[in-house]
Amino acid sequence: MKTSYFKYAVVALALGVTTTSCEDFLDRPDEDNPSMSNYYRNDAEVKDGVLSLYSSVWNDFIARGYYKVGDVMSGNVYSGGSPYMTFTVNGSDEDIKSSSQSLWAANAHANTIYSYLKDATCTPSVRDAAMGECLAWKAMAYFYLVRMFGNVPLVHDNTEAISSNTYNDVPLVQKSDIYEYIVMTLEKAIQLLPEKNETGRIDRWGAKGLLAKVYLTKSGVNAGGNGQRDANDLAMAAMYAKDVIDNSGKQLMENYADVFIGYNNCCDESLIGWRWNCNPDIYTCANPLTSEICMDGFGGVYAWGGWTAPSADLLEAFNVSPLTDPAQRSNVDTRRKASFMMAGDTYDYFWRDKKYNNPINGSGSGFDYLQFLYDDDYYCDDNYAGIKKQGLQSMSGANIAKHQYGNIKDHELMFGSTPTQQRSSMSTHVLRLSDVYLVYAEAVIGNGGTTTDANAIDAFWKVRSRAIKNYAKPASISLDDVLKERRLELAFEGDYWYDLVRLSYYDVNKAMSIISSQKRGTYYGVAGVYKSYWESGGNWDSSSAYYATDTEPTINVNAALFTLPMPSEDAEYNPHLLENPVHVDVRATYSY
């Protein structure tokens, strides 16, 4: 029997939601599937009962749509043969189905827990905080849904949908109304959330930062392609972002790379994050992304991400090339090395229990990229000893460093647990403070194209100067400056596609032009260059390698690219999804 993913999200979670925690990031005890009738009886159970919203319900999304939509479609990642590279995704695509299911599950789970919390027996402030967390995660789920699919159904209350038997009879709602619903949801979350929550949990500042980003995106929804965004929405985006910047007390970490080291899973800069734990008993609590983007043999567990590489276009955005002698490469932007590995790179925070020793980089503690590719005796853990190296697999001469924990010893040292295939405890930062800084800068630029506003420039400068030491504060910044900065700052964080979607709302021609001009193909001969460089002890000759223009995928660039198709099975069960969207006055229709 076929399963409607939309039906699953609304029905299964509403009827059988479990509050099992993921032996959570807050070190609370794991509960054994308690029923709703005997749960939420005290403060500890209320706090524990929302933890699935920080991990389990998002598991299929991060392993599928998070990076395939956010970074492959956007041109940040090369993934040969993927329909996300060529914009040929259709409604039967398994990754779209799994991503949609995950997002609807997040919404349904948040709705159901929120409903039960109303009658929780606990301290009122604890109940309010947990209800606020539910609404913030619900808003996040809808924020992804509307940016991916455009017009989507609106399910406010699962119980009501079940009792009225309307779970497969809901209409599409105009995306402008969905955005208003997200705003309304976050406004209530802000009322409920504390200014300071327990470590790793969403607080009021996280919800305000998300609301700023929602307003920025919403500002172009009704622009009609005229290039002008709604001034009031831009002002609201700037107001909320500035409030977080000035009053949250949160600061950017001094070193960019530190944000992505496991010790800083729940750092202040991570305003909202998925907090994973590789609990051996609950598969979906763990982070599955590493195996998707990691080279086999790097993390100590089986992985298949060696072919998944930073795109040639992203390398060019960072002003680097695999054809350049590593000794001559520009390493001015520290985000480059923290984001992806290239020939000549070493890392002291990966493979801490190992030492590298070679004619090119000498010796040191940690990880050496080229030695890993070519030295059969240099391996992460004993289970990879004696396995002959495959050499460079990447078609761009680089591999992703962000989201990696290192080897098994690194993971055990940071988290006290052992990773396995598709299971690590690395947090995923879904909204970072630097993102809010750049939201503020873009909101102030607004419809002007450029700005000399001192506060906007300062926000932009703080982000860029962290990555580029001695970067002089500019006299003005442009929209193009901010968009590029966002791409570099948030590379591989599943965000760049949504920047292009936001741009397409009010200037679709510019968004299409960005896609059309990208280098989405591969390099020829880099593997040979790297191998010769290694075997010769540092003699660089890239004369035989080049960017292969004939590998550029053929793309029909049009405005429809910026809206993904809904899963076909959902439309089978709910034919309203094939109809025109309806207008809903969400504030008159719904309330919390």
Side-chain angles (χ1 to χ4, degrees):
M1 179 181 295
K2 290 184 178 179
T3 301
S4 164
Y5 288 98
F6 182 63
K7 177 178 178 180
Y8 169 83
V10 179
V11 180
L13 285 173
L15 294 178
V17 65
T18 172
T19 52
T20 302
S21 78
C22 295
E23 203 157 24
D24 59 323
F25 59 94
L26 301 176
D27 298 323
R28 295 193 181 282
D30 190 21
E31 300 286 345
D32 290 326
N33 296 323
S35 67
M36 287 300 177
S37 61
N38 64 1
Y39 206 65
Y40 299 120
R41 299 161 300 184
N42 53 54
D43 288 2
E45 289 184 351
V46 166
K47 291 177 181 180
D48 189 56
V50 299
L51 291 178
S52 57
L53 294 172
Y54 285 85
S55 57
S56 296
V57 293
W58 301 94
N59 186 275
D60 270 347
F61 180 66
I62 189 175
R64 311 280 186 161
Y66 170 74
Y67 83 96
K68 291 186 179 181
V69 175
D71 283 296
V72 177
M73 282 184 67
S74 69
N76 275 354
V77 166
Y78 175 84
S79 183
S82 169
Y84 294 85
M85 283 280 296
T86 55
F87 298 94
T88 54
V89 178
N90 58 46
S92 64
D93 182 82
E94 290 297 326
D95 293 327
I96 281 294
K97 289 192 290 184
S98 293
S99 296
S100 174
Q101 174 184 335
S102 182
L103 294 172
W104 284 117
N107 175 64
H109 215 88
N111 282 342
T112 302
I113 296 173
Y114 182 86
S115 178
Y116 279 108
L117 285 171
K118 292 177 182 178
D119 299 318
T121 305
C122 66
T123 305
S125 61
V126 172
R127 181 179 60 243
D128 285 353
M131 293 175 76
E133 289 171 272
C134 287
L135 295 183
W137 282 121
K138 175 179 181 172
M140 183 68 78
Y142 260 112
F143 195 33
Y144 276 117
L145 283 165
V146 71
R147 291 180 298 170
M148 285 175 66
F149 301 113
N151 310 310
V152 293
L154 208 165
V155 180
H156 180 71
D157 187 322
N158 296 356
T159 305
E160 181 182 342
I162 295 298
S163 62
S164 62
N165 196 29
T166 58
Y167 49 76
N168 270 335
D169 194 34
V170 290
L172 284 179
V173 176
Q174 293 174 3
K175 63 175 178 281
S176 57
D177 297 330
I178 297 296
Y179 276 107
E180 188 61 28
Y181 183 75
I182 297 171
V183 168
M184 183 181 80
T185 301
L186 284 172
E187 288 173 347
K188 183 63 176 179
I190 289 167
Q191 291 177 19
L192 293 168
L193 286 164
E195 285 206 11
K196 184 173 179 59
N197 209 339
E198 294 183 0
T199 302
R201 291 182 180 267
I202 301 173
D203 59 21
R204 188 175 301 167
W205 302 110
K208 285 186 175 184
L210 180 56
L211 184 51
K213 193 168 182 175
V214 170
Y215 264 121
L216 182 67
T217 309
K218 177 177 177 286
S219 67
V221 169
N222 292 319
N226 62 10
Q228 295 297 298
R229 293 190 264 184
D230 184 87
N232 183 64
D233 285 344
L234 290 168
M236 294 297 286
M239 181 191 76
Y240 277 107
K242 194 70 164 66
D243 190 14
V244 174
I245 293 168
D246 289 347
N247 301 313
S248 69
K250 300 176 188 291
Q251 301 291 327
L252 299 179
M253 297 194 75
E254 183 177 353
N255 298 308
Y256 179 82
D258 289 349
V259 180
F260 307 99
I261 297 175
Y263 289 117
N264 299 315
N265 255 358
C266 299
C267 62
D268 262 4
E269 187 165 337
S270 183
L271 298 178
I272 300 177
W274 296 317
R275 312 302 184 192
W276 308 102
N277 189 290
C278 57
N279 181 330
D281 299 321
I282 310 173
Y283 178 79
T284 57
C285 286
N287 186 343
L289 183 60
T290 299
S291 292
E292 302 282 346
I293 62 175
C294 178
M295 299 173 288
D296 189 28
F298 174 75
V301 300
Y302 176 59
W304 47 88
W307 296 93
T308 302
S311 69
D313 199 71
L314 184 64
L315 267 64
E316 191 168 277
F318 272 104
N319 195 32
V320 296
S321 166
L323 307 183
T324 301
D325 184 339
Q328 305 299 319
R329 182 188 302 132
S330 170
N331 284 314
V332 171
D333 193 326
T334 59
R335 292 173 298 197
R336 196 283 302 165
K337 183 179 169 183
S339 299
F340 54 87
M341 311 170 184
M342 300 183 73
D345 286 343
T346 63
Y347 295 82
D348 59 6
Y349 55 87
F350 291 144
W351 294 26
R352 292 178 179 89
D353 64 324
K354 304 292 182 183
K355 293 186 181 297
Y356 59 84
N357 184 15
N358 60 70
I360 299 175
N361 287 324
S363 60
S365 297
F367 175 78
D368 185 299
Y369 179 58
L370 281 183
Q371 189 167 359
F372 167 77
L373 294 179
Y374 300 111
D375 185 347
D376 293 340
D377 296 322
Y378 181 65
Y379 48 85
C380 56
D381 297 290
D382 289 342
N383 55 317
Y384 277 89
I387 298 177
K388 189 171 179 61
K389 295 297 176 66
Q390 302 176 57
L392 179 70
Q393 296 181 42
S394 161
M395 303 302 287
S396 67
N399 284 99
I400 296 172
K402 195 178 284 187
H403 300 292
Q404 312 286 1
Y405 54 78
N407 62 10
I408 288 177
K409 292 293 185 184
D410 291 329
H411 194 283
E412 291 174 342
L413 186 65
M414 292 186 290
F415 306 117
S417 58
T418 302
T420 56
Q421 181 180 319
Q422 291 187 296
R423 297 168 61 78
S424 83
S425 296
M426 284 289 290
S427 278
T428 307
H429 306 310
V430 184
L431 179 70
R432 293 199 287 112
L433 184 60
S434 59
D435 189 348
V436 177
Y437 275 69
L438 296 175
V439 164
Y440 176 70
E442 183 177 338
V444 172
I445 290 170
N447 293 318
T450 62
T451 188
T452 57
D453 181 272
N455 289 324
I457 292 171
D458 188 62
F460 174 87
W461 175 78
K462 283 180 178 176
V463 174
R464 189 161 178 80
S465 64
R466 172 174 67 171
I468 302 175
K469 305 307 178 186
N470 302 316
Y471 171 72
K473 189 177 293 187
S476 66
I477 55 173
S478 68
L479 176 61
D480 287 342
D481 292 333
V482 174
L483 289 175
K484 182 174 181 179
E485 195 65 20
R486 289 185 59 82
R487 186 183 189 186
L488 303 182
E489 176 72 17
L490 303 171
F492 314 129
E493 295 180 56
D495 202 76
Y496 186 47
W497 176 250
Y498 303 111
D499 284 350
L500 298 179
V501 169
R502 182 173 68 252
L503 179 61
S504 76
Y505 285 165
Y506 65 94
D507 193 345
V508 71
N509 289 329
K510 181 172 178 134
M512 289 191 295
S513 175
I514 290 173
I515 295 293
S516 297
S517 63
Q518 287 179 337
K519 289 185 174 179
R520 299 172 77 92
T522 65
Y523 284 90
Y524 174 84
V526 173
V529 171
Y530 278 15
K531 187 175 182 181
S532 175
Y533 178 65
W534 171 258
E535 292 178 344
S536 67
N539 293 324
W540 183 261
D541 180 4
S542 62
S543 59
S544 62
Y546 58 89
Y547 179 75
T549 56
D550 59 344
T551 64
E552 289 280 6
T554 301
I555 301 172
N556 178 21
V557 180
N558 57 70
L561 292 182
F562 300 99
T563 304
L564 283 160
M566 281 195 175
S568 304
E569 290 180 5
D570 288 356
E572 257 184 67
Y573 281 87
N574 182 8
H576 294 306
L577 302 184
L578 301 177
E579 299 171 355
N580 291 328
V582 300
H583 165 63
V584 176
D585 185 339
V586 296
R587 293 189 183 268
T589 307
Y590 304 110
S591 63
Y592 290 108

